[in-house]
Amino acid sequence: MVASSASTQMTHRTVLSNGITLIVTENPIADLVAGRLFFPQAGGCWETLAQAGLFHLMAAVITKGTRRYSAVEIAEQVESIGASLGASASSDYVALSLKTVTKDFQTIFKLMAEILREPTFPPEEVELERKITLQSIRSQQEQPFNVAYDLLRGQMYPQHPYGQSILGTETTVQSLTPEDLRQAHQRHFRPDNLVISLSGRITLEQAEAIAEQTLGDWQNPPEPLPPLEIPALVPQGGFWRQEKDSQQAIIILGYLTGTVADDDFFALKLLSTYLGNGLSSRLFVELREKQGLAYDVSAFFPTRLAQSQFITYIGTAPKNTAIALQGLYDEMQRLVAAPLAEVDLQVAKNKLLGQYALGKQTNAELAQIFGWYESIGLGIDFDQAFRSHVEKITTAETHQAAQRHFQQPYIVVVGPQEALSLVQDIQLS
């Protein structure tokens, strides 16, 4: 059990007899309940490369029909009480979401339970969502940043589920069938692979009773899910260029890093915040405000189950491509060469912790964060530990993290021929 910073909130964790993990954050301030239902052993990491996009398509269709209800009937039930219900997929999980006023929670959860257990994946709905997915894939291919990021991702994660979009590719999505979705559902949707995270005006006892009533008789298949096998990658670095007719050049400079369990995780979070978080960040001030090189510039370091990536990027005028790339590289090497100033580190800590707190204001956000931490093996106590871990990081630790991880850059430049010619033989130093 975890007590939050607000005296009215308390988070509990229990495991039902069939293996379902139930997390309840009692937050009675508003007369609402939000839920996130995670299947950790599902998502992009559990697809073969030949079936990339499988779980995204499944998530798009799973709410479109059950043994008793059609897609229209499901939508009518949800909308008639002003609730919301949906599903999504990422590389690290598949999740379903719900939100409703407290009095209707049992009704909407009963419907959700039927969707979890008895989806039918109607062929006409599969075909509709396939067309929408293919349109999304083609749309992304028209956006310079997405083109650049897709190229970098593929080079950084060869033969790895993180190497391509959760949408899949046109080829793989075209090949998926309703039977593929049914087989994946039967294999991965099971009680011992389900984390239910609820937040709102509901007690642990009430949530347990509803979960037992709707899901308590759901039995696990006799065979356990096989362990996840993802190749461990060694940073290689490299430089790739791709021509695209656009008004700007996109430069991405990234590094392969460790997992959420890596000792440098919090130091890298702080370095990402320092470099790319907001209008006062180092990259924004130096490369946009002072040098006028950037239309857009930032950095990010996503929390991932497997090896993550530390990414910096800049959008610039084609004529400035070489100097913008050198500037981005110089900023990374500056972190390798010397520790951050104490004042810069403290500002990054304040910013990171402030935004972390702001990300837990709604019931949906609370349900997401506790369910996500549980799903990737960190546990609900990680929420309380996050602040203390961040506060303890020293400038020496951020310097050591930079020295360990910022040695083999993966660089991608996408833009018109004018931009590519300027970096054809560039020697970064």
Side-chain angles (χ1 to χ4, degrees):
M1 183 171 66
V2 175
S4 76
S5 57
S7 59
T8 55
Q9 295 177 11
M10 190 71 71
T11 300
H12 313 268
R13 177 189 181 278
T14 190
V15 179
L16 305 186
S17 58
N18 58 359
I20 294 173
T21 299
L22 177 63
I23 299 167
V24 179
T25 301
E26 298 182 19
N27 184 27
I29 294 176
D31 189 23
L32 299 169
V33 179
R36 291 281 281 176
L37 289 75
F38 289 84
F39 290 89
Q41 293 178 286
C45 283
W46 295 84
E47 298 169 348
T48 65
L49 295 179
Q51 286 192 317
L54 171 68
F55 283 102
H56 174 268
L57 188 59
M58 175 197 285
V61 183
I62 196 169
T63 61
K64 301 299 177 63
T66 68
R67 293 184 187 275
R68 290 200 298 164
Y69 302 117
S70 68
V72 172
E73 290 170 332
I74 291 171
E76 287 176 345
Q77 286 193 60
V78 174
E79 293 170 6
S80 68
I81 58 176
S84 67
L85 186 153
S88 61
S90 79
S91 295
D92 294 328
Y93 61 82
V94 171
L96 288 87
S97 61
L98 60 88
K99 184 169 65 174
T100 182
V101 295
T102 306
K103 69 180 180 63
D104 294 324
F105 173 73
Q106 187 164 358
T107 299
I108 202 71
F109 194 86
K110 183 178 179 181
L111 177 61
M112 175 69 84
E114 181 164 336
I115 289 169
L116 291 183
R117 299 177 66 169
E118 299 181 337
T120 52
F121 303 111
E124 66 277 9
E125 298 292 345
V126 173
E127 193 56 37
L128 175 60
E129 294 299 334
R130 185 203 315 279
K131 290 178 180 177
I132 294 172
T133 299
L134 290 171
Q135 289 171 358
S136 297
I137 292 171
R138 291 162 188 153
S139 175
Q140 288 194 355
Q141 292 169 349
E142 296 302 314
Q143 301 168 31
F145 178 83
N146 287 331
V147 172
Y149 185 62
D150 190 55
L151 177 55
L152 177 132
R153 180 169 49 194
Q155 297 295 339
M156 185 177 283
Y157 294 103
Q159 299 300 307
H160 189 288
Y162 286 177
Q164 53 193 351
S165 167
I166 189 64
L167 298 178
T169 68
E170 290 191 63
T171 300
T172 60
V173 171
Q174 289 280 19
S175 71
L176 295 172
T177 68
E179 182 58 27
D180 292 330
L181 304 186
R182 281 190 283 271
Q183 290 180 6
H185 173 264
Q186 291 171 3
R187 187 163 53 248
H188 294 271
F189 276 52
R190 44 192 288 164
D192 59 3
N193 186 33
L194 174 57
V195 175
I196 300 174
S197 179
L198 306 174
S199 178
R201 188 173 290 182
I202 188 169
T203 66
L204 175 63
E205 293 73 23
Q206 290 170 333
E208 280 187 295
I210 294 171
E212 285 287 0
Q213 179 185 351
T214 55
L215 298 171
D217 63 342
W218 192 13
Q219 298 299 309
N220 290 294
E223 308 83 12
L225 278 168
L228 180 61
E229 296 181 359
I230 295 181
L233 301 174
V234 177
Q236 302 292 330
F239 198 149
W240 298 270
R241 292 165 287 272
Q242 182 169 324
E243 184 175 356
K244 184 168 184 58
D245 185 19
S246 63
Q247 298 300 309
Q248 62 175 312
I250 300 294
I251 303 165
I252 303 182
L253 189 154
Y255 300 87
L256 184 67
T257 64
T259 70
V260 292
D262 191 87
D263 290 341
D264 292 327
F265 174 79
F266 293 99
L268 291 173
K269 279 290 185 187
L270 285 166
L271 289 175
S272 173
T273 301
Y274 166 72
L275 282 174
N277 195 326
L279 303 184
S280 63
S281 66
R282 173 75 187 187
L283 294 181
F284 190 92
V285 171
E286 291 297 320
L287 299 183
R288 179 184 169 102
E289 295 300 293
K290 292 185 179 180
Q291 299 184 47
L293 294 174
Y295 299 130
D296 184 26
V297 62
S298 193
F300 59 90
F301 173 57
T303 300
R304 306 294 291 271
L305 179 62
Q307 285 172 277
S308 189
Q309 53 186 185
F310 192 105
I311 300 295
T312 63
Y313 67 90
I314 185 170
T316 190
K319 66 180 181 180
N320 292 330
T321 301
I323 190 172
L325 172 55
Q326 184 68 57
L328 206 57
Y329 181 78
D330 288 346
E331 290 298 329
M332 300 307 298
Q333 290 305 298
R334 176 175 170 272
L335 297 175
V336 173
L340 284 181
E342 289 284 355
V343 64
D344 290 332
L345 179 59
Q346 189 58 54
V347 169
K349 288 181 179 182
N350 294 343
K351 190 183 295 186
L352 178 59
L353 292 174
Q355 293 186 345
Y356 183 80
L358 289 174
K360 299 191 300 174
Q361 296 300 297
T362 69
N363 284 318
E365 290 168 339
L366 289 167
Q368 167 69 27
I369 198 166
F370 285 116
W372 169 227
Y373 285 160
E374 180 69 24
S375 296
I376 59 176
L378 296 174
I380 62 174
D381 292 335
F382 186 76
D383 176 62
Q384 293 294 309
F386 188 91
R387 172 174 287 275
S388 62
H389 279 301
V390 169
E391 289 175 340
K392 291 175 183 176
I393 294 294
T394 65
T395 56
E397 287 172 315
T398 57
H399 188 209
Q400 290 162 6
Q403 290 179 319
R404 274 191 285 267
H405 295 283
F406 300 161
Q407 298 294 338
Q408 296 287 343
Y410 293 76
I411 302 170
V412 166
V413 178
V414 169
Q417 184 56 44
E418 174 192 358
L420 302 189
S421 65
L422 292 172
V423 296
Q424 185 67 40
D425 299 311
I426 192 171
Q427 297 293 320
L428 297 172
S429 59

